[in-house]
Amino acid sequence: MNRYWKYAKPYLPAFIIGPIMMIIEVIGEVVMPLLLSKVIDHGINGGRGIPYIVTMGVTMVITALCMMAGGVGGAYFAVKASSGFANDLRKDLFKKIQTFSFTNIDRYSTGSLITRLTNDITQVQNMIQMLMRLALRAPGMLIGALIMAFILNLKLALVILCVIPLLTLAVYYILKTAFPRFRLMQKKLDALNAVTQENLVNIRVVKSFVREDFEEEKFSRANQDLKESTVSAMRVVIFTMPVVTLAMNVTTLAVVWFGGKQVIVGGMTAGVLTAFINYVGQILISLMMVSMVILNGSRALASYKRIDEVMNTEIDLTDEQAVKKEATVKDGKIEFRHVYFKYYKNNEKWVLEDINLVISPGETVGIIGPTGSGKSSLVQLIPRLYDADRGQVLVDDVDVKDYSLVHLRNGVGIVLQKNVLFSGSIMENLKWGDEDADEEAVRQAAQYAQAHGFVSSFTEGYDTELGQGGVNLSGGQKQRLCIARTLLKKPKILILDDSTSAVDTATEARIRESFKNELSGTTKIIIAQRISSVIDADKIIVMDDGKIVGIGSHTELMQTCRMYTEIYYSQMDKEVTAS
Amino acid sequence: MSTISDKRKEELLQRYGSKSASHSKEGGGLKTSHIRMRPGGFGGPRGPHGGMGGSKPKNMGVTMNRLLAYIGRDKVKIFIVFGCVLVSTLSNLGGSYLLRPIINNLVSQRTIAEKAGNLLTGILIMAGIYATGVICTYLQQRIMIGVSQNALVRIRKELFSKIQRLPVKYHDKHTHGDVMSRFTNDLESVGEMLNNTLPQVFSGVLHLAGTVILMFVTHWVLALVIMVTIPLMVWAGGMIGKQSRKYYKDQQQALGAVNGYIEEMVAGQKVIKVFCHEKTVTEEFEILSDDLRQKQIKAQFFGGIMGPVMGNLSQVSYALSATVGGILCLISDFDIGGLTIFTNYSRQFSRPISELSMQMNTIFSALAGAERVFEVMDETPETPDPADALTVCSEANRVEGARLIKGEVTLKDVTFGYSPDKVVLKNINIKAEPGQKIAFVGSTGAGKTTITNLINRFYDIDKGQILIDGIDIKRIRKDSLRSNIAMVLQDTHLFSGTVRENIRYGRLDATDEEVVTAAKIACAHAFIERLPEGYDTVLEGDGANLSQGERQLLNIARAAVSKAPILILDEATSSVDTRTEKYIERGMDQLMTNRTTFVIAHRLSTVRNADRIIVLEQGEIVEQGTHEELLAMKGRYYQLYTGAVELD
């Protein structure tokens, strides 16, 4: 609970004043029937006459206006406090997610994180608001009305006292049954979302295999499930209203019976009875409010738990232990010493096994190997997107864990296999590499990546908006923009993870050419499928099944590495020799 | 503190839809990243709250009627529900009215015995009335749940069904997040309305009417006096309601903006880390989040004061009725019992009014949501097949009453553009004999994938004809056409489910052995066996636990299991290493036997043994021939092959 205190603290005044204002409303509510009873008993029956009645009337109007002020004020502060709390929490939650390592991110699905940042926070916010408005009001009303009732007539008050525990028990039982059903309902909702989302993402596959009916059946099941779980939950909840109403009615009847008898024998005035009946109503309404709060509270509790889960996530990749935080990457030397790695710690099989490797500054290194051999995994250890499980990864003879993450990642540029660009203009996207770059620098980076050509052909050039309704970019164009973006960073180490798979051979050759000429000081690591992409590298690393099975130049490997020659021959046409 | 310029702030708010400038019909606010490659593209899932809109519905009456039609199928139940509402409201009012004679009895001049007797009778009657009321309340709610949920099931089903029939063009233009939002946010408020609002509105109106009537019955002069407060209440309710509607719309937009931003950034989280962009992104988020808070405060404040204001206005009328009523008791023959219940009524009076005003908000947002749902439902579906459309089948997958085709594909003078001003294909003429392998090569954006989009009618051509065995594809039923074309697309799309189920998607009635055979053809069998549960391994959404290459192999297996006579491979092995591809080659050859195959690839090793290679540039065919012929021509193909020329 302490963790969340800091979100409440700035709004403490609001948190306090709000409920206090609600109390004003409560006091008024309790007082009003009392005033009425005075009108009846003193004004009418007591013979104090019209002036007295009018005075009481004016008092009541003033009370009513005070109550309004209280209620409005209460609402205002409730909104202010709850929205402030929720906003700060939301921002911090987002910030927390930004600190997640790749492994942390992998654990939560995108959809789940989005839900936690939006819906779950909203639930908590609504809960706080409701609490503020009712937390004092409901119990306040309850206690106030009870006190009044006791003051007015002790015996009758005891009647009420009998009903309350029974009612509480009934409501408690209802809630207990409802909570697990609500949880189930949420799950079914998630399932429906998942089916829908998948269907939308895969719509082309659905259409080309003509699976519309199949998909509809899938959906239908999720649809029905959701309905059934909702109905099941609601069926329990709807007992609340009748139960409370029943209690209210029974109590009213009992009060009228016992109280009526007392009035008949003269032990109580009619006015008191009237007021009493009003208080009964109030007490039961306040009980109902409490049960509403608890009901909604259980939903908010589930949300709170989900938020807490994220906030409590241990970040498993930080630079807190780093001892050389000021160091930057200067030369671009890379070394792997007995590195072992796997993504899922429970798996038996290593994704990378006993990797030993030295890459000198400025070298161009190619990595090649069958699908799933660990190429991407290997390079992702260099900028510490993941950490090795055993062994060491060193950059410039310093363990990567000893750099500050910012310096390390500024020095190591990696173009990931999956190309992601963001809403905004092309220029904005490219500037992710360097916020302060001027247009010339951006253009130059684009040129090296062979992207400048097509960007210039767009009517708006670099100001072209990317995103829905924007320009349709082909796969190859996307890839080239991603390369340009990384180039702009001017990293000492540049890693391309299969970043030209959608680019044709000729263009790719030009990219390699510009790398050779313009980025001679940069250590370049290129993962590729085509031999032609790596044939000119200073060193080629051949991987298979998580191990390095060959290192050397093209000529060396042709003589020593069987895997390499297989790959080579699978690509080269023996009749045409590359020039 | 923040390093973000004001200009940037404005841009952010506008781009994600917090400012309504860019709210177009096509689901405005959310601008997803992930540039849409012409085939496919994708957006992220959406949270349950935060749709676009929440705007004031344009044509309430029409939408309302349409919505009610969904409940309308349960007419009998609705009648019962309303009957119950009527009875419970009456019993509520009646029970409270009974208090009058009861109390009067108590203060009357009768004997004690008489009084006691009457008291008992009165209580028994009240008990009966209350019991009826409680039972009816329960019944009404119980039935209503079923009715509203049934309606929701129907709407969801129709919406989903409709989405399946929409042309690919619609899906390319709208983000998934936006469409999903209609299933979740928009339908959530609709469900809320159907379940609670309708009976409550009815009950509220009844209650109101009943209370007023009873007030008049109790003492019409006094009632008239109280009626004075009504205009005041209505005015206040209207004012507050209007403000809250306005700010509520703003809030929803801001919520949508926050949602959109989160979606984009969470989905692109890895890129953010790679560029150390965390701080910038956090600051930008704070702007959107703060903006949301501002709008929330306004919206929720007005929403929140409705209750206190209306409730306490009724306290004023309570005061008024106590005063005037009290005076009347003194100067006229108004009884105390009457005073008691009258004051109660005057206090209860405003409850229905404030409840109704609050319901108005629910109604508005539900109608707006319903409108967005209907908007999708009203979209033009894919052109329906003409009445005399044919079904076709091949030797391998015979179908009753279908015309036998061999798989000859002809493109005649085909011209096409995704938008009218940008023509992507010009005068394409191709003829593929049954069983031939035709390859397309060319620089990115030359139109290769577009051709495949046209053959299976994801898009329809403007000029020219596409014929299968001489039949214009527009004359063939779409589902029949597509079930005779197996496609392996550039983007790998897998479903959550087992590996086996994913492969079986290619042909639902494939046996387990056929699935394994297909996997072997695609060289996927080996890695599948190495998975924790082999073929029964469950794939996480979109096959996250496999590498890109492995996913492509599964895609190929899926096509392998189908028996379609026409096969389209669009960059089917771009992420598969060439060595594995070589191994697949024999399998691929098997895949392509007796099938007319169209292959698109950048890797020339893939296309080398095609029967004909077609070189496309800027949407036109510049060269065609076999690999050897093209090399001899020393033209474009030669340049591409030897990597001598740059392309853009």
Side-chain angles (χ1 to χ4, degrees):
Chain A
M1 258 313 157
N2 281 332
R3 174 203 290 282
Y4 300 101
W5 174 243
K6 69 172 174 190
Y7 302 113
K9 217 164 104 172
Y11 309 101
L12 215 46
F15 271 111
I16 294 180
I17 298 179
I20 289 180
M21 303 214 76
M22 297 307 283
I23 291 190
I24 297 178
E25 209 181 352
V26 170
I27 294 177
E29 272 197 28
V30 164
V31 159
M32 288 293 239
L34 195 63
L35 293 174
L36 175 65
S37 80
K38 285 200 184 229
V39 164
I40 294 179
D41 292 338
H42 300 288
I44 304 175
N45 292 341
R48 300 265 290 269
I50 295 189
Y52 180 76
I53 295 181
V54 172
T55 320
M56 281 288 113
V58 169
T59 316
M60 285 168 95
V61 171
I62 294 178
T63 313
L65 290 175
C66 287
M67 284 165 73
M68 193 181 307
V72 168
Y76 174 72
F77 286 108
V79 167
K80 223 159 170 218
S82 65
S83 66
F85 181 94
N87 190 31
D88 289 349
L89 180 57
R90 181 168 45 223
K91 292 193 287 196
D92 257 17
L93 190 58
F94 188 83
K95 212 175 187 178
K96 175 82 183 188
I97 294 176
Q98 292 307 310
T99 64
F100 273 11
S101 69
F102 274 31
T103 316
N104 292 131
I105 294 172
D106 288 340
R107 231 194 77 191
Y108 295 98
S109 72
T110 311
S112 161
L113 287 176
I114 291 175
T115 312
R116 288 168 212 241
L117 278 164
T118 53
N119 183 249
D120 288 318
I121 299 249
T122 307
Q123 294 284 6
V124 169
Q125 183 178 350
N126 289 342
M127 186 61 209
I128 294 179
Q129 217 184 99
M130 186 187 295
L131 268 179
M132 278 185 72
R133 297 180 65 175
L134 297 182
L136 289 188
R137 181 195 171 88
M141 200 155 107
L142 179 63
I143 294 173
L146 264 178
I147 292 178
M148 292 313 299
F150 269 100
I151 292 178
L152 282 180
N153 191 306
L154 194 62
K155 282 200 205 147
L156 270 188
L158 287 174
V159 170
I160 303 180
L161 227 44
C162 292
V163 175
I164 294 184
L166 289 172
L167 186 60
T168 316
L169 212 62
V171 170
Y172 168 74
Y173 187 68
I174 293 175
L175 289 174
K176 203 169 118 168
T177 321
F179 185 59
R181 295 187 191 203
F182 271 125
R183 272 222 309 261
L184 185 64
M185 192 174 103
Q186 283 291 91
K187 273 199 175 142
K188 296 296 177 187
L189 183 62
D190 279 346
L192 187 87
N193 279 343
V195 168
T196 315
Q197 196 238 340
E198 234 183 30
N199 172 268
L200 290 173
V201 167
N202 293 340
I203 195 72
R204 278 180 145 80
V205 174
V206 172
K207 277 185 176 315
S208 50
F209 285 100
V210 195
R211 294 280 166 260
E212 289 96 338
D213 290 340
F214 181 71
E215 291 290 304
E216 281 185 39
E217 245 183 68
K218 252 205 278 188
F219 181 81
S220 177
R221 278 189 298 247
N223 200 3
Q224 280 293 98
D225 274 356
L226 179 59
K227 168 193 153 181
E228 277 163 21
S229 63
T230 309
V231 168
S232 150
M234 295 307 281
R235 278 196 185 159
V236 169
V237 167
I238 59 170
F239 274 107
T240 322
M241 189 61 168
V243 160
V244 173
T245 314
L246 191 64
M248 186 137 126
N249 294 340
V250 165
T251 317
T252 310
L253 289 176
V255 160
V256 170
W257 173 247
F258 289 112
K261 288 210 300 199
Q262 281 200 34
V263 171
I264 291 177
V265 300
M268 193 166 88
T269 66
V272 166
L273 182 62
T274 313
F276 214 90
I277 295 176
N278 276 336
Y279 287 132
V280 166
Q282 281 186 0
I283 289 169
L284 290 159
I285 289 176
S286 64
L287 278 174
M288 188 152 88
M289 275 199 255
V290 170
S291 63
M292 288 293 305
V293 169
I294 298 179
L295 190 70
N296 283 333
S298 59
R299 284 178 90 165
L301 187 66
S303 290
Y304 159 74
K305 284 207 164 122
R306 284 157 60 96
I307 295 173
D308 204 34
E309 196 185 9
V310 172
M311 293 301 267
N312 281 336
T313 308
E314 224 184 273
I315 311 297
D316 59 2
L317 209 155
T318 63
D319 54 5
E320 284 179 16
Q321 312 284 346
V323 295
K324 288 209 170 156
K325 290 211 180 142
E326 349 64 51
T328 57
V329 179
K330 293 203 183 59
D331 302 319
K333 175 178 171 198
I334 305 172
E335 195 177 336
F336 280 70
R337 288 186 196 157
H338 297 293
V339 169
Y340 286 75
F341 171 73
K342 53 186 170 185
Y343 289 102
Y344 300 109
K345 310 304 162 191
N346 303 327
N347 272 4
E348 279 192 21
K349 194 166 184 323
W350 290 107
V351 170
L352 291 175
E353 223 175 304
D354 203 14
I355 303 291
N356 291 286
L357 182 54
V358 176
I359 299 176
S360 314
E363 261 195 316
T364 304
V365 175
I367 304 184
I368 203 157
T371 310
S373 52
K375 311 185 285 292
S376 296
S377 314
L378 181 85
V379 297
Q380 288 189 356
L381 297 182
I382 302 176
R384 279 193 85 194
L385 298 180
Y386 291 92
D387 268 341
D389 289 301
R390 283 195 213 160
Q392 273 188 311
V393 177
L394 301 117
V395 168
D396 282 0
D397 294 319
V398 175
D399 193 318
V400 288
K401 291 185 184 167
D402 287 331
Y403 283 96
S404 79
L405 283 173
V406 172
H407 282 149
L408 180 63
R409 290 181 185 161
N410 276 335
V412 179
I414 176 168
V415 183
L416 297 168
Q417 213 171 2
K418 218 167 175 194
N419 303 302
V420 173
L421 292 164
F422 295 89
S423 304
S425 67
I426 293 182
M427 177 69 77
E428 277 176 3
N429 267 283
L430 293 181
K431 274 194 171 174
W432 273 56
D434 182 359
E435 296 272 313
D436 303 317
D438 57 16
E439 281 198 23
E440 246 327 288
V442 173
R443 249 184 268 277
Q444 194 175 65
Q447 257 163 356
Y448 294 162
Q450 304 303 303
H452 181 70
F454 75 80
V455 173
S456 317
S457 76
F458 295 153
T459 16
E460 309 222 353
Y462 283 89
D463 291 327
T464 313
E465 282 286 318
L466 298 176
Q468 179 192 345
V471 174
N472 268 331
L473 292 183
S474 73
Q477 291 168 336
K478 238 173 103 172
Q479 277 188 332
R480 281 176 277 168
L481 283 182
C482 287
I483 294 176
R485 178 173 65 186
T486 309
L487 286 180
L488 205 54
K489 228 163 97 157
K490 292 209 177 28
K492 242 352 187 157
I493 298 174
L494 177 66
I495 304 173
L496 298 180
D497 188 352
D498 207 9
S499 316
T500 49
S501 60
V503 174
D504 60 86
T505 336
T507 310
E508 199 214 355
R510 280 275 289 189
I511 295 178
R512 273 184 292 125
E513 191 66 25
S514 65
F515 280 5
K516 195 160 96 173
N517 298 334
E518 315 291 342
L519 302 174
S520 46
T522 312
T523 310
K524 298 173 273 296
I525 303 180
I526 303 178
I527 299 178
Q529 311 286 6
R530 301 178 200 143
I531 292 271
S532 55
S533 315
V534 302
I535 201 167
D536 292 329
D538 298 316
K539 197 152 54 196
I540 302 171
I541 300 171
V542 185
M543 292 193 69
D544 186 21
D545 208 29
K547 302 195 190 68
I548 296 183
V549 295
I551 306 185
S553 70
H554 166 78
T555 357
E556 289 166 8
L557 289 171
M558 283 300 282
Q559 297 186 329
T560 56
C561 182
R562 202 196 76 165
M563 171 76 67
Y564 188 77
T565 46
E566 275 182 29
I567 299 177
Y568 179 79
Y569 284 121
S570 72
Q571 293 179 20
M572 291 299 136
D573 189 14
K574 282 176 251 179
E575 290 159 42
V576 176
T577 33
S579 45
Chain B
M1 278 251 289
S2 164
T3 55
I4 303 197
S5 67
D6 286 327
K7 173 164 173 276
R8 175 80 184 139
K9 279 188 190 156
E10 279 301 306
E11 257 173 24
L12 264 179
L13 291 172
Q14 202 158 55
R15 176 172 298 145
Y16 289 93
S18 190
K19 298 241 160 127
S20 42
S22 49
H23 257 262
S24 67
K25 268 197 299 183
E26 294 165 18
L30 175 67
K31 299 210 189 288
T32 325
S33 57
H34 316 303
I35 312 307
R36 298 184 157 265
M37 292 154 57
R38 252 157 296 164
F42 71 108
R46 240 32 207 315
H49 273 293
M52 329 285 140
S55 50
K56 187 166 177 186
K58 294 174 206 134
N59 202 337
M60 282 174 55
V62 172
T63 315
M64 182 60 106
N65 278 333
R66 205 165 156 183
L67 253 187
L68 292 180
Y70 284 96
I71 315 187
R73 298 183 212 197
D74 286 317
K75 275 201 186 71
V76 173
K77 287 190 185 158
I78 301 272
F79 274 127
I80 299 180
V81 166
F82 281 145
C84 286
V85 171
L86 187 65
V87 170
S88 63
T89 312
L90 284 178
S91 78
N92 204 308
L93 293 169
S96 51
Y97 188 77
L98 261 186
L99 278 178
R100 177 190 198 180
I102 290 182
I103 299 211
N104 285 344
N105 171 55
L106 294 175
V107 298
S108 72
Q109 306 305 319
R110 303 196 189 102
T111 68
I112 292 189
E114 258 191 301
K115 280 192 192 179
N118 286 338
L119 183 60
L120 188 57
T121 322
I123 287 192
L124 287 175
I125 298 179
M126 267 179 87
I129 294 181
Y130 278 152
T132 323
V134 168
I135 294 176
C136 283
T137 309
Y138 174 73
L139 259 181
Q140 159 229 322
Q141 283 185 302
R142 171 81 184 229
I143 298 178
M144 205 59 206
I145 297 176
V147 168
S148 64
Q149 285 299 311
N150 280 339
L152 272 184
V153 162
R154 272 184 224 117
I155 299 180
R156 276 192 220 123
K157 182 169 167 207
E158 269 186 41
L159 183 59
F160 189 81
S161 183
K162 191 47 191 285
I163 285 176
Q164 302 307 299
R165 320 274 162 214
L166 290 178
V168 166
K169 192 151 118 176
Y170 179 89
H171 291 281
D172 282 348
K173 273 209 211 146
H174 293 81
T175 65
H176 305 302
D178 179 47
V179 175
M180 282 194 64
S181 171
R182 301 179 201 230
F183 276 98
T184 53
N185 305 315
D186 298 315
L187 282 185
E188 204 171 298
S189 45
V190 168
E192 176 81 27
M193 185 188 99
L194 290 177
N195 197 39
N196 298 327
T197 312
L198 288 176
Q200 274 187 25
V201 164
F202 187 58
S203 147
V205 166
L206 270 184
H207 219 108
L208 195 60
T211 311
V212 169
I213 292 176
L214 284 178
M215 280 166 85
F216 270 93
V217 162
T218 312
H219 198 293
W220 65 272
V221 173
L222 189 51
L224 273 178
V225 170
I226 302 304
M227 291 302 124
V228 159
T229 56
I230 291 192
L232 183 63
M233 283 194 213
V234 170
W235 175 82
M239 277 287 304
I240 299 176
K242 195 164 119 189
Q243 290 293 85
S244 82
R245 267 200 302 282
K246 176 170 104 178
Y247 290 123
Y248 186 70
K249 172 178 164 188
D250 287 346
Q251 180 196 265
Q252 286 301 93
Q253 273 182 9
L255 195 52
V258 165
N259 234 42
Y261 191 80
I262 292 172
E263 195 177 330
E264 198 172 3
M265 294 308 148
V266 168
Q269 195 60 37
K270 293 189 173 181
V271 176
I272 296 177
K273 296 214 92 59
V274 162
F275 284 95
C276 294
H277 230 86
E278 293 98 331
K279 189 151 166 295
T280 316
V281 156
T282 307
E283 280 174 6
E284 290 188 350
F285 180 72
E286 287 180 0
I287 292 177
L288 291 172
S289 190
D290 286 337
D291 180 64
L292 173 61
R293 184 188 173 210
Q294 290 311 313
K295 309 246 164 91
Q296 266 183 341
I297 291 181
K298 291 194 190 128
Q300 290 179 3
F301 173 67
F302 280 101
I305 60 173
M306 182 73 88
V309 167
M310 302 301 279
N312 291 313
L313 276 180
S314 80
Q315 295 283 21
V316 170
S317 64
Y318 180 82
L320 211 54
S321 54
T323 316
V324 177
I327 296 176
L328 282 176
C329 278
L330 278 180
I331 63 176
S332 76
D333 58 353
F334 190 36
D335 53 293
I336 293 196
L339 178 64
T340 310
I341 58 176
F342 197 95
T343 51
N344 262 351
Y345 289 150
S346 66
R347 195 154 59 151
Q348 284 178 26
F349 187 65
S350 75
R351 207 168 0 120
I353 292 189
S354 76
E355 265 175 25
L356 279 172
S357 342
M358 295 215 256
Q359 298 298 343
M360 288 319 272
N361 269 338
T362 316
I363 293 182
F364 276 126
S365 83
L367 285 180
E371 230 173 70
R372 283 163 49 82
V373 169
F374 293 145
E375 194 180 43
V376 175
M377 287 201 210
D378 291 340
E379 283 277 346
T380 339
E382 287 192 285
T383 344
D385 299 314
D388 58 350
L390 300 163
T391 23
V392 296
C393 71
S394 69
E395 273 292 331
N397 60 347
R398 281 185 174 273
V399 168
E400 275 281 332
R403 178 109 152 235
L404 207 56
I405 54 167
K406 292 213 174 63
E408 174 196 84
V409 180
T410 318
L411 275 78
K412 253 197 206 165
D413 292 327
V414 170
T415 304
F416 173 77
Y418 289 103
S419 58
D421 53 337
K422 200 160 184 296
V423 175
V424 173
L425 292 173
K426 300 179 196 128
N427 282 326
I428 303 291
N429 279 288
I430 298 174
K431 180 156 179 203
E433 303 293 337
Q436 275 194 330
K437 175 177 169 183
I438 312 283
F440 292 102
V441 299
S443 40
T444 57
K448 310 188 288 294
T449 303
T450 308
I451 292 188
T452 61
N453 274 341
L454 298 177
I455 296 181
N456 79 354
R457 293 191 73 190
F458 276 164
Y459 287 85
D460 273 330
I461 51 181
D462 316 314
K463 283 204 234 146
Q465 271 188 316
I466 301 181
L467 308 156
I468 297 197
D469 275 34
I471 312 168
D472 188 326
I473 56 174
K474 287 189 182 163
R475 283 185 47 217
I476 305 178
R477 282 178 54 130
K478 282 203 205 68
D479 54 6
S480 178
L481 176 67
R482 289 174 189 159
S483 46
N484 281 290
I485 301 175
M487 287 184 76
V488 183
L489 300 168
Q490 212 168 5
D491 284 330
T492 56
H493 285 303
L494 299 170
F495 294 87
S496 23
T498 64
V499 171
R500 202 191 300 274
E501 283 165 11
N502 265 282
I503 297 180
R504 217 198 292 267
Y505 208 75
R507 182 163 53 91
L508 292 177
D509 58 5
T511 63
D512 285 350
E513 293 85 50
E514 286 171 323
V515 166
V516 174
T517 314
K520 286 187 177 154
I521 292 178
C523 282
H525 182 75
F527 86 79
I528 295 178
E529 294 262 285
R530 279 201 304 236
L531 294 174
E533 269 130 62
Y535 281 85
D536 293 315
T537 314
V538 173
L539 296 175
E540 298 299 311
D542 211 27
N545 35 355
L546 302 174
S547 77
Q548 271 295 101
E550 286 165 347
R551 285 155 60 180
Q552 278 197 324
L553 295 178
L554 282 185
N555 264 19
I556 294 171
R558 186 165 62 194
V561 90
S562 109
K563 290 186 181 158
I566 301 172
L567 179 65
I568 298 181
L569 302 172
D570 186 352
E571 296 282 9
T573 50
S574 62
S575 295
V576 176
D577 66 280
T578 53
R579 188 170 144 273
T580 310
E581 198 193 3
K582 192 107 179 107
Y583 286 139
I584 298 182
E585 225 180 273
R586 205 175 326 138
M588 296 285 264
D589 285 340
Q590 208 178 320
L591 192 62
M592 295 188 245
T593 335
N594 290 331
R595 284 190 212 196
T596 315
T597 313
F598 293 93
V599 179
I600 300 173
H602 269 120
R603 229 181 260 167
L604 292 172
S605 54
T606 317
V607 308
R608 220 175 353 182
N609 59 355
D611 292 305
R612 194 161 356 119
I613 300 172
I614 298 179
V615 182
L616 284 171
E617 284 305 331
Q618 314 266 36
E620 293 184 56
I621 300 180
V622 296
E623 281 172 13
Q624 48 179 311
T626 64
H627 170 77
E628 291 75 24
E629 287 169 8
L630 289 173
L631 280 183
M633 277 191 226
K634 288 215 191 317
R636 193 70 169 150
Y637 183 79
Y638 180 79
Q639 291 170 340
L640 282 172
Y641 194 75
T642 54
V645 162
E646 87 188 63
L647 283 165
D648 236 358

